[in-house]
Amino acid sequence: MSGIYSGIQQRISSNVSNAPFIHCCAHNLNLVICDAAASTEIANNFFLIVQSIYNFFSTSAPRWANLALNSAKKIRQKVLKKVCPTRWEARYESVSALKERYIDVLKSLTGIILTSDKLGERNMANSLKKKIEHFQFVLMLCLWERVLRPFHGVSKLLQQRNMDLHNARDRLAESFSSIQNLRNDYINIVKYAKDLCIKWDIPLNSSQKTTTCEKIF
């Protein structure tokens, strides 16, 4: 779209020389959030695990069906989503879906470990279960859902046909302000993650320092 030789902006500029090119605000936001999500090893590892969970279930119809049937009430609700490296909105959807289906995923992995007659499948299920069945992973789920949530709605607004630069600036400012406020709410997010672990019967490992997760901010 913005190519200097054959992009849309060049074709318009060649006919209307005084037409300025303004990059899509929604696209700019997408690039910023995607870069932020890939800025640390902690974040990279987290999203690799989220994607691995999706790959494990989505590449097998029996496993996908098993996950759905673990909670019949949720079959028509959220399903696991893949992590698209070029669409930050997909990151929010993948984190939100996994958080909602977290217990179902654990139950499915446990069932596969106990009943599957395929060694490779059992080993993969066991590996994934170990990676997500602890407080640190639950905390990352809660953190990233809170980090990405403000931008989920504003992205749709930025793509509206009647959106102008003034409104786009204000919506982005509100979103970044909410992200900055998360720094002051970190303790409450940790408490929320601990409450979820207690509710889900996930062990709280006090030897792991939760402060390492502050690096994603």
Side-chain angles (χ1 to χ4, degrees):
M1 185 174 103
S2 60
I4 61 174
Y5 299 111
S6 61
I8 294 176
Q9 68 100 3
Q10 174 58 31
R11 296 182 184 183
I12 294 177
S13 297
S14 62
N15 293 305
V16 185
S17 59
N18 61 344
F21 173 74
I22 300 173
H23 206 291
C24 173
C25 292
H27 188 204
N28 277 337
L29 177 62
N30 179 71
L31 295 176
V32 170
I33 300 299
C34 285
D35 286 346
S39 62
T40 68
E41 183 179 354
I42 294 174
N44 275 325
N45 290 339
F46 170 74
F47 282 107
L48 283 175
I49 295 172
V50 174
Q51 181 62 32
S52 297
I53 291 288
Y54 172 82
N55 290 343
F56 179 73
F57 285 101
S58 65
T59 54
S60 168
R63 290 197 293 262
W64 192 262
N66 177 270
L67 176 60
L69 294 174
N70 255 332
S71 182
K73 293 181 180 179
K74 294 185 179 181
I75 291 178
R76 297 182 180 275
Q77 297 184 15
K78 284 188 178 181
V79 297
L80 297 184
K81 304 288 186 178
K82 68 178 179 180
V83 178
C84 179
T86 57
R87 287 185 61 247
W88 73 264
E89 210 168 338
R91 292 180 186 270
Y92 172 79
E93 292 168 355
S94 62
V95 169
S96 178
L98 181 55
K99 180 171 172 286
E100 183 169 319
R101 302 300 305 277
Y102 180 82
I103 290 299
D104 295 330
V105 168
L106 278 183
K107 289 180 179 179
S108 292
L109 292 175
T110 302
I112 292 170
I113 293 169
L114 296 175
T115 63
S116 176
D117 57 359
K118 300 176 182 178
L119 179 60
E121 186 177 56
R122 292 200 308 271
N123 289 340
M124 178 61 71
N126 189 49
S127 175
L128 291 173
K129 186 171 183 287
K130 288 181 178 179
K131 289 178 180 178
I132 70 172
E133 194 178 22
H134 55 79
F135 167 69
Q136 203 74 9
F137 185 82
V138 175
L139 175 59
M140 291 294 288
L141 271 180
C142 296
L143 281 172
W144 275 109
E145 185 186 42
R146 285 288 302 275
V147 168
L148 296 173
R149 186 191 303 164
F151 296 103
H152 186 63
V154 76
S155 176
K156 301 297 183 183
L157 293 175
L158 292 177
Q159 296 175 52
Q160 292 180 355
R161 297 180 64 180
N162 61 346
M163 177 59 64
D164 56 41
L165 285 176
H166 180 75
N167 286 330
R169 180 200 62 189
D170 291 343
R171 300 293 80 75
L172 288 173
E174 291 172 0
S175 298
F176 283 113
S177 177
S178 66
I179 293 298
Q180 291 175 336
N181 292 335
L182 282 179
R183 292 178 180 273
N184 299 325
D185 201 36
Y186 179 72
I187 294 178
N188 290 329
I189 298 175
V190 173
K191 182 180 182 302
Y192 174 62
K194 288 182 177 179
D195 290 341
L196 284 180
C197 286
I198 294 172
K199 177 183 177 181
W200 293 340
D201 198 25
I202 303 299
L204 295 173
N205 188 351
S206 59
S207 64
Q208 290 181 313
K209 295 183 179 181
T210 60
T211 52
T212 58
C213 292
E214 293 177 354
K215 295 180 181 178
I216 72 170
F217 292 109

